[in-house]
Structures are given as C-alpha cells and as structure tokens.
Amino acid sequence: MIIATYNIHRCYGNDGCFSPERIRIVLRELDADIIALQEVETRQDSGLDLLEFFAEDAYQPIAGPTMLKQNAHYGNALLSRLPVEQVFKHDLSVPGREPRGAIDVRIRAKNTTARLVTTHFGLSVRERRIQAQRVLELMEPQIEPVEILLGDLNEWFLRRQLLHWFHRAFVETTSPATFPARFPLLALDRLWVRPNSVLRELQHYRSPMAQVASDHLPLRAELDLSEIYAE
C-alpha cells in the first residue's frame, strides 16, 4: 500500500502562479493508494471543484474543510483508491487561532482494516502542543491492526516535546525534509505507522514538477501489510 501526504499551498507554486494542473500532475506521479492533502481551497465562483479535479474518477474524495466562507472552503482533504468504510472529522481548533481539524477514516485493505488520521497543525508552539494532545487522545489505545498518522505538523524543531510524544505512541520514524520544496531543509510533513514493522520506505518525492508545484514536497511511504494479512 502506498500512502502520501502533500501540502498543496492552495495550488500556488514557487513561482507564485496558481496551477491546479501542476498539482494534479504530481498526484499522478505519486501513484499512491491514499493521499492526504492540506491547504485545499475551492472557490465556488471559479467553476472548479478541486477535489473532483484531483480525483479524476480514480479516487474517492473526502473533504475536511476547516474554514468556510460565502463562496469558498479551505482545509484538509483525502483521496483514496481503497474502500473507505467510516469517516470521522475532529475539530482541533484553538481559540484565537486559525481553525484546524483532522480527518479520521477506516479503510479496507484486503482482509484488514487500517485507520488513517490526517491533520494540519497550527503555527504557534502552544497551539501545536494542544493539538498533539488531542490527536493522541483520539488514537490511544490502538484499536485497528494498522494505524497511520500523517500530515503537516508545522514542527521544525526536532527536539520539541510533541515529536517525542508521537515517537512514544508509535515508533520514532525517519523525517525527510519537505520544506521548502526547491531546497528542503525542514521536516514539516510527518508520517507514523503502527506497527512500525510494516513501513518499508519513507521519502520525500522530489520530481521536477514537485519542486515547483507547491512550497512543500510530498512525503511518500510504502507499507507491506503481508504480516498483518497472515495473522
């Protein structure tokens, strides 16, 4: 199973140009079974439903907007080629800060169920700590054979406590830098899996198009669920 997380920066590339088509090209290149998206903005007056545009009849789109305006909505989203059995949406907003949320789904992968939670944390340290605590409360204890947490955590200091919380709840996982896209230095985008033994590969995706389409690179992981199937 291939999974990915990608902050698409409202489809604005490093050159300042708005281009959903470039994002769609990167999504095709990723060829992932499940893709978590952040900073997805759909404007009703544009005549373009971004999620439908990205899904291309190949994915089931799941919207998780955190900000709603009269003519637009903005937030998280999920694209899945695997059957989605349940969808939950959680509010992670902190008063006085930009609204934030998480999408929490159960996905059928052959003969097992995987839980996937995707989110986009805030910009202040205190805000991220509160959001991390809420996510950990949602995901403790483990209830599905495979559980995945992924998204843009906006945490660039490797020694910050919230990362240690997630390392303890899952297992410390390598953190390829994804930001800025042209010369990635910061590991803002993260992915954890439990059991960690199913994680075979985790890397940023750095094609020529991915380096220009957004200010983040996608994070792409390959999971081998054969040991879960055998149980």
Side-chain angles (χ1 to χ4, degrees):
M1 183 167 72
I2 307 297
I3 57 177
T5 181
Y6 190 19
N7 184 325
I8 65 171
H9 194 48
R10 297 168 51 236
C11 297
Y12 283 92
N14 285 315
D15 55 3
C17 293
F18 175 75
S19 177
E21 180 58 32
R22 293 193 300 202
I23 297 296
R24 185 163 70 169
I25 290 170
V26 176
L27 297 179
R28 289 172 179 167
E29 291 175 350
L30 287 170
D31 192 27
D33 297 300
I34 306 167
I35 307 175
L37 300 174
Q38 300 87 45
E39 295 194 19
V40 180
E41 182 179 61
T42 291
R43 300 183 64 87
Q44 295 176 358
D45 54 8
S46 72
L48 176 65
D49 185 319
L50 272 183
L51 279 186
E52 293 295 337
F53 180 73
F54 294 150
E56 295 192 279
D57 297 323
Y59 290 93
Q60 176 182 344
I62 300 170
T66 54
M67 290 196 291
L68 300 173
K69 298 182 180 180
Q70 187 173 1
N71 66 338
H73 57 79
Y74 168 91
N76 305 313
L78 197 68
L79 300 172
S80 179
R81 292 196 297 214
L82 301 176
V84 178
E85 297 184 333
Q86 292 179 295
V87 177
F88 305 95
K89 298 175 186 179
H90 307 288
D91 185 3
L92 302 181
S93 301
V94 174
R97 307 295 300 178
E98 178 183 317
R100 302 282 178 171
I103 303 174
D104 180 359
V105 297
R106 306 298 185 276
I107 291 171
R108 195 67 186 167
K110 293 188 177 179
N111 65 341
T112 195
T113 300
R115 181 186 189 186
L116 185 145
V117 176
T118 181
T119 188
H120 185 189
F121 282 0
L123 296 177
S124 80
V125 174
R126 175 181 173 274
E127 180 184 12
R128 290 195 297 274
R129 286 171 59 90
I130 292 171
Q131 290 160 346
Q133 290 169 344
R134 290 180 182 172
V135 169
L136 288 169
E137 288 170 2
L138 287 172
M139 300 192 73
E140 292 294 344
Q142 181 174 349
I143 57 176
E144 300 293 353
V146 179
E147 297 196 337
I148 303 156
L149 172 65
L150 74 170
D152 180 356
L153 266 60
N154 266 322
E155 183 55 79
W156 48 89
F157 292 108
L158 298 181
R159 297 185 181 277
R160 280 272 162 80
Q161 188 175 23
L162 74 83
L163 292 179
H164 293 306
W165 292 342
F166 286 122
H167 292 333
R168 287 200 302 265
F170 292 81
V171 167
E172 184 166 356
T173 304
T174 183
S175 304
T178 54
F179 181 87
R182 286 193 183 278
F183 303 102
L185 299 172
L186 304 176
L188 301 187
D189 304 278
R190 297 277 178 161
L191 185 149
W192 287 273
V193 184
R194 56 189 183 196
N196 186 255
S197 58
V198 306
L199 180 61
R200 291 291 176 262
E201 186 177 84
L202 175 63
Q203 59 187 5
H204 64 214
Y205 182 77
R206 199 179 181 186
S207 72
M209 184 61 76
Q211 291 181 72
V212 70
S214 171
D215 61 345
H216 286 241
L217 293 175
L219 194 62
R220 186 179 187 272
E222 180 178 346
L223 310 184
D224 180 358
L225 304 184
S226 58
E227 68 177 65
I228 306 297
Y229 300 151
E231 292 180 357

